[in-house]
Amino acid sequence: MRVLLIGANGYLGRYVADRLLADPAVQLTALGRGDDADVRFDLATGSPGALTRFLDAVHPGVVINCAGATRGGARELTRHNTVAVATICESLRRSGCGARLVHLGCASEYGPSQPGSSTAEDAVPRPGGPYGVSKLAATELVLGSGLDAVVLRVFSPVGPGTPAGSPLGRLAEAMRRAMQSGDNELKLGGLGVQRDFVDVRDVARAVHAASLSAAQGVVNIGTGRAVRLREAASVLARVAGFGGALHELDSPPARLVIPGPAGDHPVGSPPATYPYPDGCGTWQQADVRTARDRLGWRPRIVLEESLADIWMEAACRI
């Protein structure tokens, strides 16, 4: 199976690439903006015609799109998350390769949900910010393209490589600084937020499974269990060996406030300055029955293992 992977150097794309390279039946070609891509191409500025010519030359059976932007203003998010996907869809329609498209969407497309509920794929999307809007627009383009396509709506990805600016990445960094300076307490705010954390390696397995399946439409990728950030912080403290106290500050429930270096924005700042502006309020939990039934996929890696890997990277950071 010849696979064209777009966005192989991103947070999720790196693990998707590793997963595909481990399959001897896959011939992988990476397309991206970086020098280390097999083919250099900028989806935000490149023409559909140029990409079509490349597709006709390589003739992939599957195209996987892991590319996109998670930060920036509405114009930048639209260019990288929506216009880029329009280019992919138009190129595939023009091409004679007949490739299947696996597109990585995001749970931010759903927006806030009722606490205690599980969000299924038929939920009406109400994204709470420009990031979610740009991702939802991309999903609608894929679903309306007429292509053999599936959109994986990934909930909150965690694990090795977690960006330092994400909630759990910043939490690990704050804990590292506290341990380094000998502080025996850490003051945090907004730990009542609950998210469905799924390990990036499990996400990569889901992408691999979707590439081989006939599933179409939207498929949620999560664990089916929302975890309070307070609980994640306690687990992280245990795996890090932090023996100090975690004090929760009074703060708006949808914001995770973590001390940072001067000039840093707190986690929960407006989307233009926050790496993962999900706009999903205090609760989000996936209904993952479709992934089980149509992809044969279930998450395998528990949150404690994901947090241990996040901590190992934070502890080694100089």
Side-chain angles (χ1 to χ4, degrees), residues 49-75:
L51 184 56
T52 299
R53 288 190 291 274
F54 174 73
L55 290 171
D56 287 338
V58 174
H59 214 78
V62 178
V63 173
I64 300 173
N65 180 36
C66 297
T70 57
R71 63 187 304 167
R75 179 178 297 179

Side-chain angles (χ1 to χ4, degrees), residues 111-119 192-196 224-228 253-254 280-286:
S113 55
Q114 186 67 29
S117 67
S118 293
T119 303
V193 173
Q194 297 180 73
R195 289 291 182 268
D196 189 331
R225 174 177 177 258
V227 175
R228 198 178 301 271
C280 295
T282 61
W283 170 275
Q284 198 172 55
Q285 177 175 283

Side-chain angles (χ1 to χ4, degrees), residues 112 167 189-195 229 248-257 266-270 274 276-283:
L191 297 183
V193 173
Q194 297 180 73
R195 289 291 182 268
L229 282 171
E248 188 168 359
L249 304 173
D250 291 332
S251 63
R255 290 171 62 87
L256 175 61
V257 182
V267 175
S269 295
Y274 177 44
Y276 292 99
D278 62 12
C280 295
T282 61
W283 170 275

Side-chain angles (χ1 to χ4, degrees), residues 19 198-199 201-203 205 222-223 296-303 305-306:
R19 177 74 186 185
V198 57
D199 194 274
R201 292 158 292 193
D202 280 334
V203 174
R205 287 179 42 247
T223 65
W297 175 90
R298 288 178 174 84
R300 294 177 181 172
I301 299 175
V302 298
L303 182 58
E305 182 178 343
S306 303

Side-chain angles (χ1 to χ4, degrees), residues 77-228:
L77 290 169
T78 300
R79 186 168 67 250
H80 290 288
N81 294 338
T82 310
V83 174
V85 172
T87 298
I88 294 172
C89 291
E90 180 60 24
S91 301
L92 284 169
R93 280 195 296 264
R94 295 183 187 182
S95 172
C97 68
R100 172 172 172 78
L101 174 61
V102 179
H103 172 68
L104 264 63
C106 178
S108 298
E109 299 170 38
Y110 288 122
S113 55
Q114 186 67 29
S117 67
S118 293
T119 303
E121 290 85 356
D122 60 357
V124 178
R126 293 186 175 89
Y131 173 65
V133 170
S134 69
K135 293 294 289 184
L136 177 60
T139 290
E140 294 297 337
L141 285 169
V142 172
L143 298 180
S145 66
L147 300 169
D148 174 14
V150 62
V151 176
L152 303 184
R153 274 194 179 140
V154 180
F155 277 63
S156 299
V158 296
T162 293
S166 70
L168 291 178
R170 292 197 66 170
L171 179 59
E173 178 60 18
M175 198 166 290
R176 183 193 68 80
R177 291 198 305 267
M179 295 175 70
Q180 190 176 44
S181 61
D183 293 339
N184 59 3
E185 63 177 9
L186 191 56
K187 296 179 180 180
L188 309 169
L191 297 183
V193 173
Q194 297 180 73
R195 289 291 182 268
D196 189 331
F197 297 109
V198 57
D199 194 274
V200 290
R201 292 158 292 193
D202 280 334
V203 174
R205 287 179 42 247
V207 173
H208 190 198
S211 301
L212 300 172
S213 78
Q216 294 186 335
V218 174
V219 179
N220 287 341
I221 302 299
T223 65
R225 174 177 177 258
V227 175
R228 198 178 301 271

